[in-house]
């Protein structure tokens, strides 16, 4: 097939912003597309390989400019000038090719195969002296291109096709081209895309017109797949309402998702974005070898950072650099250790687990993992329909420096790539109030000697009214970005006005930012309101008590929350 035909399709697709029109255009193109040109589907998404493949084109604007220059015999400075004017290197290339074409004859016809052949050589070229080779591969294509082809070749090179085509639009076009349009068919095809991450393979099956053939698409260990995502609810009650009784509740670990594949001896780790990060986490590979039973499996996990000395869990931001780091891996591994929390299993010893109910998958995880704290463990889980127990668990998760909880339907299947209504996340809304500390209580046990719980107040004209108590978010040991009990006690103690047992009254001076999930009416505090799940997030030395939240603002927030 000629590349010109694809370029014309791109042009048609970009001529409309309406999704339905795009689907109509694309579906009639797909009907006529022969199987041997199946890889056109990669090009439609700006890729040269299936999505699971990490090899991407990745050519810089600078190199593209050089190639346009060579192919059209135009100086770089002139190209840059045109670029500024037209705002699109593709358009520049199109214009300059047009000018050239008036004087020279086209050298030869560009085919899809030739384009793919050259483009696919690009990511394999690495290291010294490769720039020249890349340049000649691209120049060769641009020299043979028609103006329209040059436009889309350049846009493909720099990763900016501008045709407004999403994967879901291609999916719908496949449905219309080969089946009857209905929701169930779309679902089957989306599942095939999510399982295979190979749109061209899906096209080939669809072309035969038999929906049943999609069953042939199965998981392949070692090839990344898209994970299942959660929906959000704003309260545990809503979670129970949506999921019914006996819900599996887990910590929502504050880390990053890591999908672990094992096939015979080979272990691969992927991120949620399908990147292979095996090299970055050699210790995880070792943990999996040592503590997980099975010849082949795919595990869905969350990696959480912790402090080597204090063993306290760290927020995601502090370990995030490990994902990208390609050098000094060992050093970073020591500095920023992680623990793997396994919360799902997708494949085990030759068998897909996608259609097994969650409770069975959980049981399997428990069976095959030998829990090793601070290395690899099955995720903490309770099964309950009791609101109080769930709230306790939520509170504990936050105290353990995690993000919140996940509520999961125990009978649900695993749906790759979907944001499902049977796995719900609850975390404190990132709403905050600036409040002043007006009281405190001395701690006991590990926290004795410190003030460990602080009474917070808002303001009503000249009066301070209590609205809640906070102990979460303050740490025992020094941790970056966090305030310790020791620090806060030293600041608060000189402001004690009255002592009554372990409780003290504090002169209102220290302003703090408190994050909370919800405001409730409450007879226990003088403001008439209480904060649910308050968490200390910052000491506001830059603020004084004039700036704090007023009772009116609290009332407004409460009303707004009720409306939502
Ligand atoms: P968020 O920013 O809230 O993490 P997200 O878009 O990254 O959202 P969601 O699927 O919406 O991802 O939320 C759940 C995320 O929480 C998962 O992607 C996963 O990385 C993480 N997570 C932590 N603990 C668990 C757990 N026990 N079960 C499932 N996911 C968990």
């Amino acid at each position: 097939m000629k590349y010109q035909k694809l370029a014309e399709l791109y042009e048609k697709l970009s001529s409309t912003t309406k999704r339905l029109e795009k689907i109509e255009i694309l579906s009639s193109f797909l009907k006529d597309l022969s199987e041997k040109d199946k890889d056109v589907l990669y090009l439609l998404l700006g890729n040269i390989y299936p999505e699971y493949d990490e090899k991407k084109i990745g050519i810089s604007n600078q190199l593209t400019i050089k190639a346009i220059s060579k192919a059209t015999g135009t100086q770089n400075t002139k190209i840059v000038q045109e670029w500024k004017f037209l705002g699109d290197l593709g358009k520049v290339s199109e214009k300059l090719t047009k000018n050239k074409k008036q004087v020279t004859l086209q050298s030869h016809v560009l085919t899809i195969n030739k384009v793919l052949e050259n483009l696919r050589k690009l990511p394999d070229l690495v290291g010294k002296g490769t720039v020249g080779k890349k340049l000649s591969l691209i120049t060769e294509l641009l020299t043979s291109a028609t103006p329209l082809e040059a436009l889309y070749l350049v846009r493909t090179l720099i990763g900016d096709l501008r045709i407004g085509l999403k994967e879901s639009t291609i999916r719908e076009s496949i449905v219309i081209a080969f089946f009857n349009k209905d929701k169930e068919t779309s679902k089957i095809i989306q599942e095939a895309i999510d399982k295979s991450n190979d749109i061209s393979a899906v096209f080939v099956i669809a072309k035969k017109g038999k929906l049943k053939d999609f069953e042939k698409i199965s998981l392949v260990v070692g090839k990344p797949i898209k994970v299942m995502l959660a929906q959000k609810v704003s309260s545990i009650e809503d979670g129970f309402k949506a999921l019914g009784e006996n819900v599996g509740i887990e910590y929502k670990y504050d880390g990053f998702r890591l999908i672990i594949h094992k096939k015979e001896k080979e272990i691969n780790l992927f991120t949620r974005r399908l990147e292979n990060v095996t090299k970055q986490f050699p210790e995880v590979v070792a943990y999996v070898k040592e503590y997980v039973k099975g010849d082949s499996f795919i595990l869905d996990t969350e990696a959480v950072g912790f402090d080597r000395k204090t063993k306290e869990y760290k927020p995601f931001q502090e370990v995030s650099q490990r994902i990208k780091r390609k050098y000094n891996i060992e050093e970073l591994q020591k500095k920023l250790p992680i623990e793997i929390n396994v919360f799902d299993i997708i494949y085990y010893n030759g068998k897909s687990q996608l259609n097994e109910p969650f409770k069975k998958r959980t049981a399997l995880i428990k069976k095959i993992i030998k829990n090793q704290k601070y290395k690899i463990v099955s995720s903490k889980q309770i099964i309950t329909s009791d609101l109080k127990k769930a709230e306790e668990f939520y509170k504990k998760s936050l105290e353990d420096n995690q993000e919140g909880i996940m509520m999961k339907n125990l009978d649900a299947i695993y749906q790759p790539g979907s944001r499902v209504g049977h796995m719900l996340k609850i975390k404190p809304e990132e709403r905050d109030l600036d409040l002043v500390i007006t009281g405190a209580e001395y701690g006991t046990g590990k926290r004795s000697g410190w003030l460990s719980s602080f009474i917070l107040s808002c303001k009503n004209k000249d009066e301070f009214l209590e609205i809640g108590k906070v102990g979460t978010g303050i740490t025992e040991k020094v941790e970056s970005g966090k305030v310790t009990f020791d620090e806060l006690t030293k600041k608060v103690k000189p402001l004690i006005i009255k002592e009554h047992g372990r409780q003290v009254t504090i002169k209102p001076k220290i302003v703090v930012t408190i994050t909370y999930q919800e405001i409730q009416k409450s007879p226990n505090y003088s403001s008439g309101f209480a904060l649910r799940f308050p968490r200390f997030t910052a000491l506001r030395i830059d603020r004084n008590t004039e700036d704090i939240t007023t009772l009116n603002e609290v009332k407004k927030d409460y009303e707004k929350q009720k409306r939502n």
Side-chain angles (χ1 to χ4, degrees):
M1 185 177 133
K2 285 184 195 158
Y3 187 64
Q4 178 71 17
K5 206 167 160 212
L6 179 60
E8 282 164 11
L9 172 72
Y10 284 144
E11 193 67 1
K12 267 198 223 157
L13 288 169
S14 64
S15 70
T16 172
T17 51
K18 297 204 179 82
R19 184 164 182 263
L20 285 179
E21 283 177 17
K22 282 189 203 283
I23 291 174
E24 203 180 304
I25 295 166
L26 186 55
S27 62
S28 76
F29 174 88
L30 291 176
K31 263 187 208 154
D32 295 337
L33 188 69
S34 74
E35 189 176 328
K36 68 178 187 341
D37 290 317
K38 63 181 179 4
D39 291 0
V40 160
L41 278 112
Y42 303 142
L43 289 169
L44 279 173
L45 285 169
N47 296 327
I48 43 176
Y49 288 112
E51 209 188 340
Y52 66 78
D53 199 305
E54 283 195 284
K55 283 189 232 155
K56 303 275 170 334
I57 306 171
I59 293 295
S60 68
N61 289 333
Q62 288 320 314
L63 194 64
T64 309
I65 289 171
K66 275 191 196 150
I68 300 173
S69 159
K70 277 184 96 177
T72 61
T74 321
Q75 284 195 331
N76 281 5
T77 45
K78 167 98 169 63
I79 296 176
V80 173
Q81 211 178 13
E82 289 279 356
W83 186 21
K84 274 192 192 141
F85 180 67
L86 293 171
D88 172 0
L89 264 184
K91 285 265 176 227
V92 176
S93 175
E94 180 185 33
K95 182 174 168 188
L96 296 173
T97 309
K98 238 182 233 163
N99 294 348
K100 183 189 77 169
K101 287 286 139 68
Q102 286 166 356
V103 277
T104 53
L105 276 173
Q106 193 166 323
S107 38
H108 61 262
V109 176
L110 208 49
T111 62
I112 297 275
N113 282 347
K114 176 66 186 164
V115 170
L116 276 171
E117 183 190 317
N118 280 27
L119 294 183
R120 281 177 174 166
K121 283 182 186 155
L122 297 172
D124 293 329
L125 294 167
V126 280
K128 261 194 186 159
T130 52
V131 175
K133 284 183 202 148
K134 284 186 182 176
L135 185 59
S136 61
L137 284 168
I138 305 170
T139 310
E140 188 192 359
L141 295 178
L142 285 177
T143 310
S144 327
T146 63
L148 195 66
E149 287 174 330
L151 165 67
Y152 287 103
L153 265 177
V154 164
R155 286 189 181 171
T156 302
L157 285 169
I158 58 176
D160 186 14
L161 264 180
R162 304 190 185 195
I163 53 169
L165 196 62
K166 287 196 282 195
E167 188 191 80
S168 58
T169 315
I170 300 187
R171 179 200 66 214
E172 282 313 291
S173 308
I174 290 178
V175 173
I176 305 260
F178 307 112
F179 302 97
N180 291 328
K181 184 177 159 43
D182 70 64
K183 267 204 173 135
E184 193 49 33
T185 310
S186 297
K187 207 174 133 219
I188 291 172
I189 293 182
Q190 185 61 49
E191 270 172 25
I193 296 173
D194 290 331
K195 267 193 215 171
S196 64
N197 283 303
D198 188 340
I199 191 91
S200 150
V202 171
F203 161 75
V204 170
I205 295 179
K207 204 171 159 54
K208 304 215 164 76
K210 288 192 209 123
L211 268 180
K212 218 171 153 24
D213 286 353
F214 283 106
E215 286 169 13
K216 279 190 223 148
I217 291 200
S218 57
L219 296 174
V220 180
V221 186
K223 215 172 87 177
I225 47 164
K226 287 194 198 124
V227 292
M228 178 163 78
L229 297 172
Q231 285 180 20
K232 195 171 168 191
V233 279
S234 50
S235 70
I236 297 176
E237 285 97 322
D238 286 354
F240 278 122
K241 251 184 237 154
L243 301 177
E245 301 221 311
N246 282 332
V247 172
I249 306 184
E250 297 172 6
Y251 275 13
K252 184 179 190 309
Y253 296 98
D254 187 12
F256 55 92
R257 202 142 179 185
L258 207 56
I259 299 88
I260 303 175
H261 291 236
K262 180 180 167 187
K263 190 171 145 196
E264 283 144 33
K265 295 236 148 54
E266 198 182 328
I267 290 165
N268 275 295
L269 313 176
F270 296 100
T271 64
R272 201 177 127 174
R273 295 169 57 206
L274 316 183
E275 298 147 325
N276 191 322
V277 289
T278 315
K279 287 204 178 73
Q280 285 90 310
F281 302 99
E283 83 271 39
V284 176
V285 173
Y287 300 160
V288 173
K289 276 192 186 145
E290 211 172 328
Y291 305 116
V292 190
K293 265 198 295 201
D295 299 326
S296 64
F297 47 77
I298 305 175
L299 304 175
D300 198 354
T301 82
E302 185 87 353
V304 197
F306 62 91
D307 187 296
R308 186 167 287 288
K309 287 197 195 115
T310 64
K311 296 285 196 283
E312 275 200 50
Y313 291 105
K314 288 185 177 187
F316 163 68
Q317 287 83 347
E318 290 190 37
V319 287
S320 61
Q321 45 174 309
R322 284 207 59 185
I323 304 171
K324 291 259 151 22
R325 182 68 80 85
K326 298 259 159 71
Y327 54 92
N328 282 355
I329 305 262
E330 260 181 50
E331 189 191 314
L332 209 62
Q333 182 188 323
K334 283 200 189 106
K335 208 171 107 195
L336 303 171
I338 52 168
E339 178 187 74
I340 302 297
N341 290 273
V342 182
F343 57 77
D344 220 321
I345 183 160
I346 298 172
Y347 187 93
Y348 191 68
N349 281 358
K351 227 184 126 227
S352 164
Q353 300 295 314
L354 291 175
N355 292 320
E356 297 293 341
F358 180 56
K359 56 177 174 252
K360 260 184 111 176
R361 302 200 303 276
T362 309
L364 181 58
I365 293 172
K366 295 235 164 78
K367 215 170 91 186
I368 64 170
I369 293 179
K370 198 168 156 208
N371 277 350
Q372 295 287 316
K373 202 148 171 58
Y374 303 114
K375 287 183 176 169
I376 185 164
V377 292
S378 54
S379 142
K380 223 177 256 177
Q381 189 191 71
I382 59 166
I383 294 174
T384 188
S385 38
D386 185 288
L387 184 62
K388 270 240 159 65
K389 281 202 182 118
E391 287 190 340
E392 278 291 301
F393 194 71
Y394 183 27
K395 214 170 131 200
K396 211 163 156 290
S397 164
L398 297 181
E399 279 167 9
D400 263 353
N401 291 344
Q402 305 305 340
E403 267 196 293
I405 51 171
M406 306 292 302
M407 296 180 79
K408 303 180 180 183
N409 180 328
L410 296 169
D411 296 316
I413 59 167
Y414 191 105
Q415 287 169 265
S418 312
R419 202 170 271 289
V420 296
H422 55 72
M423 174 164 96
L424 305 172
K425 58 178 172 184
I426 300 173
K427 51 183 182 179
E429 283 266 353
E430 288 307 299
R431 269 189 299 187
D432 24 275
L433 299 177
D434 282 347
L435 299 168
V436 67
I437 296 177
T438 49
E441 194 175 307
Y442 280 103
T444 54
K446 269 204 292 189
R447 293 183 184 169
S448 61
W450 290 324
L451 292 165
S452 71
S453 167
F454 299 86
I455 297 187
L456 307 159
S457 293
C458 61
K459 182 180 78 156
N460 189 27
K461 298 194 183 102
D462 293 334
E463 214 183 1
F464 292 99
L465 300 173
E466 292 178 358
I467 186 169
K469 243 193 253 177
V470 72
T472 306
I474 309 161
T475 58
E476 289 168 12
K477 308 235 164 75
V478 179
E479 223 179 281
S480 75
K482 294 254 170 100
V483 168
T484 60
F485 285 109
D486 194 49
E487 235 177 301
L488 205 53
T489 301
K490 281 188 184 133
K491 280 201 178 359
V492 171
K493 253 189 167 170
L495 302 172
I496 293 178
I497 313 169
K498 232 176 22 199
E499 303 217 13
H500 23 101
R502 285 196 300 124
Q503 275 148 21
V504 294
T505 306
I506 309 289
K507 187 167 165 200
K509 234 188 156 105
I510 297 176
V511 179
V512 296
T513 301
I514 301 296
T515 306
Y516 65 95
Q517 197 205 351
E518 208 185 338
I519 298 175
Q520 288 178 313
K521 287 226 165 180
S522 165
N524 298 334
Y525 296 108
S526 51
S527 65
F529 292 99
L531 299 179
R532 250 176 133 203
F533 301 120
R535 189 162 46 98
F536 185 101
T537 38
L539 198 57
R540 300 308 303 250
I541 39 173
D542 56 326
R543 308 251 153 128
N544 56 35
T545 51
E546 256 113 80
D547 304 327
I548 69 167
T549 308
T550 63
L551 182 63
N552 263 338
E553 286 165 338
V554 172
K555 275 184 191 155
K556 266 196 212 139
D557 274 7
Y558 175 77
E559 291 301 329
K560 199 160 110 205
Q561 180 191 290
K562 255 195 353 200
R563 279 198 304 275
N564 292 338

